[in-house]
Amino acid sequence: MLLSVFASFIYLLTMDRSASWWDCGEFIATSWQLGVGHPPGAPLYQLVTHVTMLLSCGNAMLVAPLCNAVSAICGGITVGLLYLTVLELAGQGARYGALTGALCYLFCDTVWFSAVESEVYAMAMLFCSLDVWVALLWRRTGNGRLLPLLALLLGLGICVHLMTLLALPALALVVLAGSKPWPLAKRLPVLTLFFLLGLTPYLIVPIRAAANPPINEGNPQTVESFRSYISREQYAKAPLYPRMWRERDAENWGYWSYNHDGVLGNAVYYGSYQLGYMYGRYLMYNFIGRENLKSGRIVVFVLPVLLALWGLLCHRRKNRRGYWTVMPLFLMGGVLLNIYLNHPCYEPRERDYAYVLSFYALAIWIGVGAADLHERARGKAWPLLLMVAPLSMAVGNWSDHDRSRCHAVHDIAMNHLQSCDPDAILITLGDNDTFPLWYLQQVEGRRKDVSIYNIGLTGYGNLMQILDANDFQRPVYVSQYFYYRYGRLYQGRLRCEGFCWRLLPTAEGVDDREPLLRHVSDSIEWHITRTEYRDRVTQGFLNDWEESTGLKVPLR
C-alpha cells in the first residue's frame, strides 16, 4: 500500500497539467462528454475518467488534471501489484528484491511517460498486473472465488485496451497447471458469464453514438457500424509476411535490408529495423540508458538490465513454474507482439508503449534477481547498493518526464484557434493538430465558432465538398501540418497568418504581411519557459512557426 502511494505521488507530482500530444486531447474530450473516440474505443477508461472529472465541480481547468491523475494513480497501483507479484513468485522473504524491481518499473522511461498523461496504457497495465497477481494468488490459496474474479477482470481489461489480451497465455498456463481438467470444465459456463459481464461497458458505445455527441468517430450506432468499429476496419492491417509490405516505404527498405530482397531481405529487415530498432531500442531505453532529450546528457543505467538477466537465470533454475509464468508475458508483450505488429518504415511516433507488458516482465526478473543476491548475502549490507538501479533511473529520467510545468501543447493548440478569424473553417491533418484543439473547444469552451475538419477522418474528397459548399463565405485556414503536406496543391493561395495559413480564393495579396502582423500581435500568446521539457513534436511546431514568420518564440 505504501509503495503504491509513493509511486502515485511521484506520478502526480510530475504529471501534465493539461492535454498532451497524440490521443490525450481526444481522450479527455470524449471522456468529459462521453463521446465516441477512435476505434476500437476504451469505454471503461471513459467511464472511470468521466466520474473522476465530476470532481471538478464545473471548473473546466481542473478536468484535464483530474483525467491525468487517473493514469498516475493507476500507474502507482501497478507498481504495488508488481511488488506483490514478485513476492508470489520468489517467496515472502523476497521483500527487498520485490522493492527493487517495483521501483525500477516505477522509474522506467515508457511507464513513467504513460503515467503522467491521459492515455489508456497505465490503466491497461493495471488490469494486466491485477490479472497476473490474482492468478498467482489463486494458485497459492486455491480460493475458488478468484477464478470468476479473474474472468471478470479480463473482460473489463478489454474495455480499456486490447493489449490486456497479451497476458492471456500466461494466465492460461497458471490456471491449467493448477487445475484438473474436469473441475475446470464444469466452471466454464460461470467463467464465461463473468467474462461477458466484464465486456458490458462496451454497451455505452452504440448508446452514446445514437445520442450524436460532438465527437462521434465512426458513428457506431448500428450493428454493422459497431462491428466495423470494434474490428478497427478503418485502419490498414499489416500482414505477417512480407515484412517489407508498405509500398511508400520502398525507398527506406534498402537501408534496413542492406539492399537484399526476397526472403533474405525481409529477414534482414525484420532483424535490423523491426526487432532491433522498434523493440530492442525501446528495451535499452528503459533498462540500459539513452540520451536525455532535454539536457543532451547520456543517461546510463546498465545495472537494471544486469539484474534482470540474473533474475531470469535464477528464476529458471530455482522456480520453473514461476519462470514459465513470466516468460509468456515477456514474449507476448515483446518479440511475438513485434512480429504481429509488423511495423512499417517509419512510424509517425515512437511505439514503445505497445511493449510495456514486456518491460513489466523484465521488472519482475529484476526483483527476482535482486532477491537472489540479497539471499546470498546472508545479512550483509552490500545488497543495499542494488538500490542504485532504480535511483539512477529516477535521476536520469526525471527532467525528461517532469511535465508539471509544461505549457507548449496548450499554447500551440490555442494559437491555432486564435489565428483564425471568427466563424472560420480550420482544416487539420493529424492527431497533434486536431485532438488538443478538440480538448480546448469541448472542455475549456475556447473558440467553438471555429469548425475543425481533419482530413484523416473526413477524407480529402469530403473536404473538397465542404470547401465547394462554403465557397469562401467563411474564412478558411489550414494547420501547419496540412500546409507542409498539401500546401503545394494550393500554391500561391496560402498566406501565413499567426500560427495557421489562410486559404485565399486567388493568389492576390499573398505577399501582404499586414494580416500576419495583426494576428501575431493580437492573438499569439506564449507561456513556454526556458526550462520546460520540449519534445520533438513541440519543437517541430515551434521551428515551423519561426520559419514561417521570421519571429522567435519568446521563452520566459
PDB file of all heavy atoms in Angstrom, residues 138 175-186:
ATOM      1  N   TRP A 138      -4.567 -17.255  -6.669  1.00  0.00           N
ATOM      2  CA  TRP A 138      -5.438 -18.426  -6.763  1.00  0.00           C
ATOM      3  C   TRP A 138      -4.621 -19.723  -6.728  1.00  0.00           C
ATOM      4  O   TRP A 138      -4.996 -20.686  -6.056  1.00  0.00           O
ATOM      5  CB  TRP A 138      -6.256 -18.365  -8.042  1.00  0.00           C
ATOM      6  CG  TRP A 138      -6.971 -19.646  -8.332  1.00  0.00           C
ATOM      7  CD1 TRP A 138      -8.147 -20.076  -7.806  1.00  0.00           C
ATOM      8  CD2 TRP A 138      -6.534 -20.683  -9.206  1.00  0.00           C
ATOM      9  NE1 TRP A 138      -8.479 -21.317  -8.284  1.00  0.00           N
ATOM     10  CE2 TRP A 138      -7.496 -21.719  -9.153  1.00  0.00           C
ATOM     11  CE3 TRP A 138      -5.418 -20.850 -10.030  1.00  0.00           C
ATOM     12  CZ2 TRP A 138      -7.373 -22.887  -9.895  1.00  0.00           C
ATOM     13  CZ3 TRP A 138      -5.289 -22.011 -10.774  1.00  0.00           C
ATOM     14  CH2 TRP A 138      -6.268 -23.014 -10.700  1.00  0.00           C
ATOM     15  N   VAL A 175      -3.520 -21.210 -14.706  1.00  0.00           N
ATOM     16  CA  VAL A 175      -4.787 -21.860 -14.369  1.00  0.00           C
ATOM     17  C   VAL A 175      -4.758 -23.341 -14.730  1.00  0.00           C
ATOM     18  O   VAL A 175      -5.164 -24.205 -13.939  1.00  0.00           O
ATOM     19  CB  VAL A 175      -5.960 -21.146 -15.074  1.00  0.00           C
ATOM     20  CG1 VAL A 175      -7.259 -21.922 -14.889  1.00  0.00           C
ATOM     21  CG2 VAL A 175      -6.108 -19.729 -14.538  1.00  0.00           C
ATOM     22  N   LEU A 176      -4.259 -23.664 -15.922  1.00  0.00           N
ATOM     23  CA  LEU A 176      -4.233 -25.061 -16.358  1.00  0.00           C
ATOM     24  C   LEU A 176      -3.285 -25.904 -15.517  1.00  0.00           C
ATOM     25  O   LEU A 176      -3.545 -27.081 -15.257  1.00  0.00           O
ATOM     26  CB  LEU A 176      -3.848 -25.144 -17.836  1.00  0.00           C
ATOM     27  CG  LEU A 176      -4.875 -24.579 -18.825  1.00  0.00           C
ATOM     28  CD1 LEU A 176      -4.326 -24.592 -20.232  1.00  0.00           C
ATOM     29  CD2 LEU A 176      -6.186 -25.353 -18.744  1.00  0.00           C
ATOM     30  N   ALA A 177      -2.167 -25.280 -15.092  1.00  0.00           N
ATOM     31  CA  ALA A 177      -1.210 -26.029 -14.268  1.00  0.00           C
ATOM     32  C   ALA A 177      -1.732 -26.264 -12.854  1.00  0.00           C
ATOM     33  O   ALA A 177      -1.286 -27.184 -12.176  1.00  0.00           O
ATOM     34  CB  ALA A 177       0.123 -25.286 -14.212  1.00  0.00           C
ATOM     35  N   GLY A 178      -2.697 -25.443 -12.430  1.00  0.00           N
ATOM     36  CA  GLY A 178      -3.192 -25.584 -11.075  1.00  0.00           C
ATOM     37  C   GLY A 178      -4.564 -26.209 -10.974  1.00  0.00           C
ATOM     38  O   GLY A 178      -5.155 -26.228  -9.889  1.00  0.00           O
ATOM     39  N   SER A 179      -5.106 -26.718 -12.089  1.00  0.00           N
ATOM     40  CA  SER A 179      -6.454 -27.297 -12.078  1.00  0.00           C
ATOM     41  C   SER A 179      -6.465 -28.649 -12.755  1.00  0.00           C
ATOM     42  O   SER A 179      -5.674 -28.922 -13.657  1.00  0.00           O
ATOM     43  CB  SER A 179      -7.439 -26.376 -12.810  1.00  0.00           C
ATOM     44  OG  SER A 179      -7.566 -25.147 -12.192  1.00  0.00           O
ATOM     45  N   LYS A 180      -7.391 -29.445 -12.342  1.00  0.00           N
ATOM     46  CA  LYS A 180      -7.677 -30.665 -13.079  1.00  0.00           C
ATOM     47  C   LYS A 180      -8.688 -30.351 -14.172  1.00  0.00           C
ATOM     48  O   LYS A 180      -9.562 -29.497 -13.981  1.00  0.00           O
ATOM     49  CB  LYS A 180      -8.222 -31.746 -12.137  1.00  0.00           C
ATOM     50  CG  LYS A 180      -7.202 -32.207 -11.112  1.00  0.00           C
ATOM     51  CD  LYS A 180      -7.768 -33.278 -10.209  1.00  0.00           C
ATOM     52  CE  LYS A 180      -6.732 -33.718  -9.192  1.00  0.00           C
ATOM     53  NZ  LYS A 180      -7.271 -34.782  -8.306  1.00  0.00           N
ATOM     54  N   PRO A 181      -8.579 -31.021 -15.332  1.00  0.00           N
ATOM     55  CA  PRO A 181      -9.417 -30.644 -16.486  1.00  0.00           C
ATOM     56  C   PRO A 181     -10.915 -30.657 -16.209  1.00  0.00           C
ATOM     57  O   PRO A 181     -11.626 -29.719 -16.583  1.00  0.00           O
ATOM     58  CB  PRO A 181      -9.030 -31.681 -17.542  1.00  0.00           C
ATOM     59  CG  PRO A 181      -7.661 -32.128 -17.153  1.00  0.00           C
ATOM     60  CD  PRO A 181      -7.625 -32.076 -15.656  1.00  0.00           C
ATOM     61  N   TRP A 182     -11.429 -31.716 -15.550  1.00  0.00           N
ATOM     62  CA  TRP A 182     -12.884 -31.820 -15.406  1.00  0.00           C
ATOM     63  C   TRP A 182     -13.473 -30.739 -14.486  1.00  0.00           C
ATOM     64  O   TRP A 182     -14.452 -30.077 -14.866  1.00  0.00           O
ATOM     65  CB  TRP A 182     -13.267 -33.210 -14.925  1.00  0.00           C
ATOM     66  CG  TRP A 182     -14.735 -33.345 -14.678  1.00  0.00           C
ATOM     67  CD1 TRP A 182     -15.360 -33.633 -13.508  1.00  0.00           C
ATOM     68  CD2 TRP A 182     -15.784 -33.180 -15.640  1.00  0.00           C
ATOM     69  NE1 TRP A 182     -16.710 -33.660 -13.671  1.00  0.00           N
ATOM     70  CE2 TRP A 182     -17.012 -33.379 -14.976  1.00  0.00           C
ATOM     71  CE3 TRP A 182     -15.802 -32.866 -17.003  1.00  0.00           C
ATOM     72  CZ2 TRP A 182     -18.235 -33.287 -15.608  1.00  0.00           C
ATOM     73  CZ3 TRP A 182     -17.022 -32.769 -17.653  1.00  0.00           C
ATOM     74  CH2 TRP A 182     -18.226 -32.982 -16.960  1.00  0.00           C
ATOM     75  N   PRO A 183     -12.907 -30.491 -13.289  1.00  0.00           N
ATOM     76  CA  PRO A 183     -13.455 -29.407 -12.455  1.00  0.00           C
ATOM     77  C   PRO A 183     -13.408 -28.051 -13.152  1.00  0.00           C
ATOM     78  O   PRO A 183     -14.315 -27.239 -13.007  1.00  0.00           O
ATOM     79  CB  PRO A 183     -12.565 -29.429 -11.209  1.00  0.00           C
ATOM     80  CG  PRO A 183     -12.042 -30.824 -11.152  1.00  0.00           C
ATOM     81  CD  PRO A 183     -11.864 -31.237 -12.583  1.00  0.00           C
ATOM     82  N   LEU A 184     -12.340 -27.831 -13.924  1.00  0.00           N
ATOM     83  CA  LEU A 184     -12.233 -26.563 -14.649  1.00  0.00           C
ATOM     84  C   LEU A 184     -13.298 -26.469 -15.734  1.00  0.00           C
ATOM     85  O   LEU A 184     -13.898 -25.404 -15.943  1.00  0.00           O
ATOM     86  CB  LEU A 184     -10.831 -26.428 -15.263  1.00  0.00           C
ATOM     87  CG  LEU A 184     -10.532 -25.097 -15.982  1.00  0.00           C
ATOM     88  CD1 LEU A 184     -10.649 -23.938 -15.000  1.00  0.00           C
ATOM     89  CD2 LEU A 184      -9.147 -25.139 -16.608  1.00  0.00           C
ATOM     90  N   ALA A 185     -13.550 -27.585 -16.433  1.00  0.00           N
ATOM     91  CA  ALA A 185     -14.570 -27.590 -17.490  1.00  0.00           C
ATOM     92  C   ALA A 185     -15.953 -27.295 -16.926  1.00  0.00           C
ATOM     93  O   ALA A 185     -16.766 -26.608 -17.556  1.00  0.00           O
ATOM     94  CB  ALA A 185     -14.557 -28.933 -18.223  1.00  0.00           C
ATOM     95  N   LYS A 186     -16.227 -27.797 -15.726  1.00  0.00           N
ATOM     96  CA  LYS A 186     -17.529 -27.546 -15.120  1.00  0.00           C
ATOM     97  C   LYS A 186     -17.721 -26.069 -14.771  1.00  0.00           C
ATOM     98  O   LYS A 186     -18.844 -25.581 -14.693  1.00  0.00           O
ATOM     99  CB  LYS A 186     -17.689 -28.404 -13.852  1.00  0.00           C
ATOM    100  CG  LYS A 186     -17.854 -29.893 -14.144  1.00  0.00           C
ATOM    101  CD  LYS A 186     -18.353 -30.642 -12.922  1.00  0.00           C
ATOM    102  CE  LYS A 186     -17.360 -30.570 -11.784  1.00  0.00           C
ATOM    103  NZ  LYS A 186     -17.810 -31.382 -10.623  1.00  0.00           N
TER     104      LYS A 186
END
